């Protein structure tokens, strides 16, 4: 994510979608952050409680002030926020013993989650959003004039790290 976005110095290419009804690169980064905001409280609750009721967790709702910040913030600021959240998630997952990955939380609104299922959900969401971001950056022309290593497309990167 950082390798793709950091070399792009024209913020307008990250703020705007090149096609109608598609998200801009910045909106995709916001989607990364928002999914992490939804998943982390569940992961934390399951890791510290026995079979917590996940429906009792406060819903993640962005306030008007949060939404206003999202509109005015640069994509790099949103990416930094996502990075901090992801570091917390990774730290929590690294600290768990192997048998804790089977721990679960219950929910009648969604479905029951295990720590493993939430981690897999985040990984699958990452692949989906990275594919969206790859297409958005390619269509917007945001990669023009940047180093070849930062123009690597997702399929190429996935071959390097399956």
């Amino acid at each position: 994510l950082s390798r793709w976005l950091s070399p792009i110095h024209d913020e307008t290419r990250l703020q705007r979608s090149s096609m109608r009804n598609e998200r801009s690169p910045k909106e995709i980064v916001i989607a990364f952050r928002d999914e992490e905001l939804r998943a982390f409280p569940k992961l934390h609750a399951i890791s510290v409680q026995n079979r917590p009721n996940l429906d009792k967790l406060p819903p993640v709702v962005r306030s008007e002030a949060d939404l206003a910040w999202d509109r005015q913030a640069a994509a790099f600021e949103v990416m930094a926020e996502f990075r901090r959240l992801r570091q917390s998630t990774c730290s929590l997952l690294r600290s768990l013993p192997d048998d804790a990955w089977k721990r679960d939380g219950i929910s009648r609104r969604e479905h029951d989650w295990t720590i493993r299922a939430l981690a897999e959900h985040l990984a699958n969401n990452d692949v989906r959003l990275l594919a969206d971001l790859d297409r958005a950056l390619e269509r917007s022309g945001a990669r023009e004039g940047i180093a070849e290593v930062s123009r690597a497309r997702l399929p190429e990167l996935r071959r390097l790290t399956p």
Side-chain angles (χ1 to χ4, degrees):
L1 189 61
S2 181
R3 179 163 290 191
W4 277 351
L5 297 180
S6 295
I8 300 169
H9 300 292
D10 183 357
E11 181 68 24
T12 59
R13 292 193 181 227
L14 299 176
Q15 300 257 358
R16 295 194 179 118
S17 173
S18 61
M19 298 187 75
R20 200 176 277 184
N21 297 326
E22 282 194 6
R23 294 183 286 189
S24 70
K26 178 182 166 182
E27 289 168 330
I28 296 167
V29 175
I30 289 171
F32 271 107
R33 188 236 14 235
D34 288 352
E35 193 57 34
E36 203 77 20
L37 280 171
R38 284 187 285 276
F40 183 80
K42 293 174 190 168
L43 284 166
H44 184 264
I46 295 169
S47 72
V48 298
Q49 300 172 33
N50 281 331
R51 301 209 71 218
N53 182 347
L54 301 176
D55 295 338
K56 291 185 177 182
L57 293 173
V60 177
V61 178
R62 306 284 291 161
S63 70
E64 280 304 316
D66 293 334
L67 295 173
W69 185 86
D70 285 350
R71 285 189 295 275
Q72 65 83 30
F76 304 107
E77 293 173 295
V78 179
M79 183 176 66
E81 188 179 19
F82 165 68
R83 183 179 289 147
R84 286 188 297 274
L85 290 164
R86 179 53 62 93
Q87 286 173 343
S88 296
T89 299
C90 291
S91 177
L92 184 146
L93 293 174
R94 274 194 303 271
S95 71
L96 296 173
D98 289 345
D99 62 342
W101 286 71
K102 298 175 195 166
R103 293 179 61 108
D104 66 340
I106 57 173
S107 174
R108 290 185 180 180
R109 270 188 264 157
E110 292 182 21
H111 56 80
D112 295 354
W113 285 101
T114 64
I115 289 177
R116 176 175 303 284
L118 278 165
E120 288 172 350
H121 167 76
L122 286 173
N124 291 330
N125 186 64
D126 286 355
V127 170
R128 184 178 56 78
L129 290 176
L130 284 170
D132 291 350
L133 182 60
D134 188 26
R135 278 190 302 278
L137 291 172
E138 199 62 28
R139 287 182 179 152
S140 71
R143 291 178 167 147
E144 293 170 7
I146 63 173
E148 187 174 338
V149 69
S150 296
R151 290 191 313 251
R153 302 289 310 270
L154 183 60
E156 181 182 349
L157 295 174
R158 293 200 67 190
R159 278 193 304 274
L160 296 173
T161 55

